[in-house]
Amino acid sequence: MSEHQATISWQRDGAAFIDGKFARRHTWSFDGGVTVSGSPAPSVVPPPLSDPAAVDPEEAFVASLASCHMLFFLALAAKKRFLVDSYRDEAIGTLAKRPDGKMWMERVTLRPAVTFSGDKQPTAEEIDALHHQSHGLCYISNSVTTEVTIEPR
């Protein structure tokens, strides 16, 4: 078992608060020393109270699923001795309203484009199997009820 830490920090900085017109920009700091600007999605809280240049929680959710999938895919491909030159996933998350009226991340579609080189090229079936295995091993996909689909490009 392992633990993973993130520190989320926000400061009012003397601005009004009770009127709901306070800035939501904040930081996410990780144990490796990286700090990222965070903000609500502009579709949820319009600028200037949000920052479109910052990462929003919905994007981070999609990125964590895509990143976890990719890392397992690369590890499995390496074990099979397939030489991966590049991996790019333009993943998309879809927010929807549940029957109880609450919003949730209904679906995340991973759209990985993988480039291989070398003498040993995987077949389409082997690539599909690598994606299927990666999805089954991904800690993040195993932790959510969101439908995750994979559409290799």
Side-chain angles (χ1 to χ4, degrees):
M1 186 158 79
S2 61
E3 292 184 346
H4 306 271
Q5 180 182 347
T7 301
I8 310 306
S9 300
W10 173 86
Q11 298 264 345
R12 183 172 57 86
D13 291 331
F17 184 74
I18 58 172
D19 66 357
K21 295 182 181 171
F22 58 93
R24 270 70 162 192
R25 187 179 176 115
H26 55 282
T27 59
W28 302 354
S29 299
F30 301 95
D31 58 4
V34 172
T35 296
V36 175
S37 294
S39 176
S43 61
V44 176
V45 177
L49 302 179
S50 67
D51 181 356
V55 178
D56 63 64
E58 297 84 356
E59 291 170 323
F61 182 82
V62 172
S64 69
L65 280 163
S67 178
C68 186
H69 182 91
M70 178 198 71
L71 293 169
F72 275 107
F73 185 94
L74 294 175
L76 293 169
K79 262 189 186 173
K80 297 269 187 186
R81 304 235 186 269
F82 296 127
L83 182 57
V84 178
D85 283 336
S86 67
Y87 185 110
R88 179 181 172 92
D89 189 344
E90 296 179 5
I92 298 174
T94 304
L95 280 176
K97 194 175 280 193
R98 300 187 316 201
D100 64 5
K102 294 181 181 180
M103 296 297 291
W104 75 304
M105 188 66 71
E106 178 182 54
R107 178 182 327 106
V108 172
T109 304
L110 306 180
R111 302 180 316 154
V114 186
T115 304
F116 297 89
S117 65
D119 294 333
K120 187 176 180 189
Q121 293 287 312
T123 64
E125 293 79 19
E126 288 171 317
I127 293 170
D128 285 344
L130 289 169
H131 283 301
H132 182 75
Q133 285 181 286
S134 299
H135 179 70
L137 292 170
C138 173
Y139 315 132
I140 308 301
S141 64
N142 289 334
S143 302
V144 300
T145 57
T146 300
E147 175 189 354
V148 179
T149 58
I150 302 156
E151 297 176 358
R153 302 173 131 261

